[in-house]
Amino acid sequence: LHGRTALVVPPGYLSEINFRWFLFQLFDVVQGDIFLVRPGGTFEGQPREVHLSPVDGRILLSFTPTVLVDDEYMKKRVLVLEGASGKVLARIDNPGKLGKIGWSPDGKNVALVAAADLNDPSAGRLCVAPASGGAPRELAPALEADTLDFAWQGPDALLAVNADGCE
């Protein structure tokens, strides 16, 4: 592991000493900053995806209430955590299924591929929410295609890969 690495674990999973031992056993060389984050505050659940902020110590985290497969599909949600303490700083209120998430290059926004609502059969709408939390805003509500992937091209520009089904 090189650079900045975060492992987010629910309380009681690993101590700081066990965490470092685990990394040294798993990898030959560990370099850079390593964070063991135990989310605090009102967070309860299973971490699924972690992204370190490109500008500071915050962490973008997707999580589910349990490890159940149904929760992975239907109940995945997004938090912004303070990296040092694990304190919940913000919640992104996506309404249903959740795909990819990612920080904007300036750390002010979060992009996500999400469902339009709880009954939407797929996470395919490209949305952006402020990193301070709140409801995501769909960027192309009239687009009938599903967003498969995205990449930030700058603080205010996203490149998306969309699919419009097949016949």
Side-chain angles (χ1 to χ4, degrees):
L1 296 175
H2 301 282
R4 299 170 65 212
T5 303
L7 176 63
V8 179
V9 296
Y13 269 50
L14 292 171
S15 69
E16 182 73 29
I17 293 169
N18 289 343
F19 171 64
R20 296 213 178 266
W21 176 86
F22 169 77
L23 286 178
F24 283 112
Q25 295 300 314
L26 191 59
F27 304 102
D28 290 335
V29 178
V30 178
Q31 296 178 349
D33 298 323
I34 300 172
F35 302 94
L36 175 62
V37 177
R38 287 191 182 84
T42 59
F43 172 82
E44 288 185 20
Q46 302 299 313
R48 297 296 184 165
E49 187 176 345
V50 177
H51 298 273
L52 294 170
S53 167
V55 296
D56 55 32
R58 292 173 298 159
I59 293 173
L60 183 63
L61 170 74
S62 70
F63 73 99
T64 56
T66 71
V67 295
L68 297 175
V69 172
D70 287 350
D71 284 356
E72 174 72 19
Y73 286 117
M74 301 296 294
K75 298 180 181 176
K76 197 184 307 180
R77 299 297 178 258
V78 181
L79 298 174
V80 177
L81 305 175
E82 182 179 82
S85 70
K87 177 183 174 190
V88 176
L89 299 175
R91 291 178 181 274
I92 309 296
D93 301 323
N94 58 298
K97 294 176 180 73
L98 178 68
K100 181 178 179 176
I101 60 174
W103 288 104
S104 64
D106 62 4
K108 293 180 180 178
N109 292 296
V110 173
L112 52 147
V113 178
D117 57 47
L118 192 57
N119 298 312
D120 193 345
S122 67
R125 304 189 183 256
L126 183 59
C127 303
V128 172
S132 58
R137 178 178 54 88
E138 190 174 344
L139 295 181
L143 182 67
E144 293 185 19
D146 280 347
T147 298
L148 304 177
D149 199 3
F150 67 83
W152 284 95
Q153 301 298 294
D156 298 317
L158 281 162
L159 175 67
V161 176
N162 300 307
D164 193 12
C166 58
E167 305 253 343

